């Protein structure tokens, strides 16, 4: 677009703007801001359809030249293309162009574009995304697995095993962390625990499972977890089996074995307050300071601390092995979840995912610790 001839110092003061493409009068929004957190798009394909609400995304791509980006619950996105100088609507998380776009414009806001082809675009009243269901649907990509060193993922002073007393009663006992470290290469960076009866609880890299045996330097054992699980800590291992010396031949039989950790959370998550930042738009009410409270000792948290803010709670959920922000630490329903499993403190996770009404979307939320 261009204005009439003028000698004003600022483009905001210029008059008589016209669209360069159509020659029609235009009223461009020349502010380097955009007042719309919500954009209503009515697609026109023969006949008008119901509005699709696009909500301000917290992720700003360099390709958009610092302009805002918007996402819809169905995964479509509304972004500015610097190459075409148009606002465009894409499907499939911005990968497929729909053909719906504005005329050429430098407008900072999609609603300020002079013309749109295939849609009507306007600012919309604020909306909130609906809460996620319980239980939570899975993330679209697998959680990032733990990686060495594993010290921050298995901070147990002691591990108490129960559940297989009928088969290996002497192995159902309390194991204490061996100090100084008894780690050998075959333990793949995991800690080693020893009982008063002379047994060891240790990880065996060749089978990628946890074992209970007489010697932590070989793989002879009485009790074992599921193979190829790569668990960073025995408390995270599953599928435990115990050796039973049945008539004719001995064999391993599954038992509902449980490992309980007495952790050093004063070292693992020594935070009086967790500060949550980075979210803009819907669910920004989750941002702020979360203060640690006394852990009520529910199995769902595995002894990890709980943090509360004004009406919302940050907590670990054992069934998912993830940290969540939700309404109630006794529930597995949440608005925000960690994108890395099995970390002792929320500030250690490698990323976060936000519920956008229909699916999980990556979120640039960051967390820091205040002591």
């Amino acid at each position: 677009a261009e204005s009439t001839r003028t000698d004003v110092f600022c483009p905001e003061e210029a008059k008589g703007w016209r669209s360069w493409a159509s020659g029609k009068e235009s009223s461009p929004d020349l502010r380097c801001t955009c007042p719309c957190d919500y954009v209503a798009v009515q697609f026109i394909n023969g006949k008008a359809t119901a509005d699709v609400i696009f909500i301000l995304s917290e992720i700003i791509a360099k390709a958009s030249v610092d302009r805002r980006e918007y996402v819809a619950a169905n995964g479509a996105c509304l972004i500015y293309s610097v190459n075409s100088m148009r606002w465009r609507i894409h499907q499939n998380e911005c990968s497929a162009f729909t053909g719906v776009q504005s005329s050429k414009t430098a407008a900072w806001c999609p609603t300020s574009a002079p013309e749109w082809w295939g849609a009507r675009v306007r600012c919309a009243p604020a909306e909130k995304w609906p809460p996620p269901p319980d239980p939570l649907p899975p993330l679209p990509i697998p959680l990032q697995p733990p990686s060495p060193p594993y010290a921050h993922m298995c901070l147990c002073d002691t591990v108490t095993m129960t559940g297989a007393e009928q088969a290996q009663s002497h192995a159902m006992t309390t194991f204490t962390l061996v100090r100084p470290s008894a780690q050998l290469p075959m333990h793949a960076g995991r800690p080693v625990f020893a009982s008063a009866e002379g047994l060891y609880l240790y990880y065996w890299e060749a089978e990628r499972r946890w074992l209970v045996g007489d010697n932590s330097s070989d793989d002879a054992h009485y009790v074992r977890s599921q193979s190829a699980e790569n668990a960073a800590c025995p408390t995270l291992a599953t599928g435990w089996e115990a050796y039973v010396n049945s008539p004719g031949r001995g064999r391993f039989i599954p038992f509902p074995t449980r490992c309980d950790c007495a952790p050093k959370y004063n070292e693992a998550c020594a935070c009086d307050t967790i500060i949550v930042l980075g979210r803009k738009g819907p669910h920004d009410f989750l941002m702020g300071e979360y203060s640690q409270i006394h852990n009520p000792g529910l199995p769902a948290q595995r002894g990890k601390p709980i943090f509360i803010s004004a009406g919302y709670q940050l907590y670990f959920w054992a069934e998912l092995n993830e940290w969540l922000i939700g309404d109630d630490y006794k529930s597995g329903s949440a608005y925000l979840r960690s994108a890395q499993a099995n970390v002792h403190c929320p500030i250690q996770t490698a990323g976060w995912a936000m519920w956008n009404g229909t699916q999980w979307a990556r979120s640039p939320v960051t967390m820091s610790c205040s002591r």
Side-chain angles (χ1 to χ4, degrees), residues 306-343:
I306 294 172
F307 301 86
I308 62 171
S309 184
Y312 302 98
Q313 299 167 10
L314 169 60
Y315 56 95
F316 185 81
W317 192 250
E319 185 176 340
L320 299 171
N321 282 329
E322 300 172 41
W323 286 86
L324 309 176
I325 291 184
D327 297 312
D328 186 358
Y329 64 79
K330 298 185 288 296
S331 168
S333 179
Y335 305 100
L336 187 73
R337 66 194 292 185
S338 59
Q340 184 174 21
N342 304 337
V343 296

Side-chain angles (χ1 to χ4, degrees), residues 53-334:
I53 303 299
F54 287 76
I55 303 173
L56 176 66
S57 169
E58 70 277 13
I59 299 187
I60 304 297
K62 292 182 179 179
S64 296
V65 198
D66 294 328
R67 285 165 174 79
R68 290 180 156 196
E69 296 185 7
Y70 298 83
V71 294
N74 63 7
C77 66
L78 170 59
I79 59 174
Y80 183 78
S81 168
V82 67
N83 292 329
S84 66
M85 292 184 63
R86 302 175 192 271
W87 284 90
R88 289 181 159 184
I89 294 177
H90 293 249
Q91 293 177 334
N92 302 329
E93 297 184 354
C94 299
S95 63
F97 177 48
T98 63
V100 177
Q101 62 183 355
S102 73
S103 58
K104 285 193 173 183
T105 179
W108 216 255
C109 209
T111 57
S112 302
E115 294 179 89
W116 273 88
W117 294 311
R120 298 188 182 98
V121 178
R122 60 181 175 81
C123 276
E127 289 191 0
K128 288 190 179 296
W129 284 330
D134 185 7
L136 294 179
L139 284 168
I141 56 173
L143 291 175
Q144 295 187 25
S147 56
Y150 295 99
H152 70 285
M153 297 194 184
C154 196
L155 288 169
C156 300
D157 285 324
T158 62
V159 175
T160 302
M161 297 191 70
T162 56
E165 286 80 4
Q166 291 182 342
Q168 297 290 344
S169 59
H170 69 306
M172 300 297 102
T173 185
T174 296
F175 295 82
T176 302
L177 179 67
V178 176
R179 296 190 181 90
S181 174
Q183 292 179 15
L184 297 172
M186 65 281 290
H187 301 145
R190 274 78 163 176
V192 175
F193 302 87
S195 73
E197 295 81 7
L199 295 178
Y200 290 89
L201 171 60
Y202 57 97
Y203 183 82
W204 195 254
E205 172 65 8
E207 299 178 12
R208 293 165 62 194
R209 69 165 112 211
W210 285 83
L211 308 176
V212 175
D214 295 316
N215 190 336
S216 63
S217 61
D218 67 45
D219 63 349
H221 56 277
Y222 305 104
V223 179
R224 66 191 186 190
S225 68
Q226 179 177 308
S227 65
E229 195 172 29
N230 199 35
C233 195
T235 58
L236 303 173
T238 62
W240 289 90
E241 299 175 327
Y243 185 80
V244 175
N245 191 15
S246 57
R249 64 184 181 90
R251 58 194 177 117
F252 281 89
I253 296 177
F255 281 89
T257 306
R258 174 174 169 172
C259 293
D260 292 307
C261 173
K264 305 176 294 182
Y265 283 117
N266 58 333
E267 297 178 23
C269 199
C271 302
D272 295 324
T273 303
I274 298 287
I275 302 169
V276 183
L277 299 172
R279 173 72 196 179
K280 297 177 182 178
H283 294 345
D284 58 5
F285 53 83
L286 300 176
M287 303 300 102
E289 295 187 357
Y290 288 73
S291 301
Q292 187 175 157
I293 64 170
H294 175 70
N295 191 305
L298 297 179
Q301 277 80 54
R302 288 186 179 152
K304 292 177 173 60
I306 294 172
F307 301 86
I308 62 171
S309 184
Y312 302 98
Q313 299 167 10
L314 169 60
Y315 56 95
F316 185 81
W317 192 250
E319 185 176 340
L320 299 171
N321 282 329
E322 300 172 41
W323 286 86
L324 309 176
I325 291 184
D327 297 312
D328 186 358
Y329 64 79
K330 298 185 288 296
S331 168
S333 179

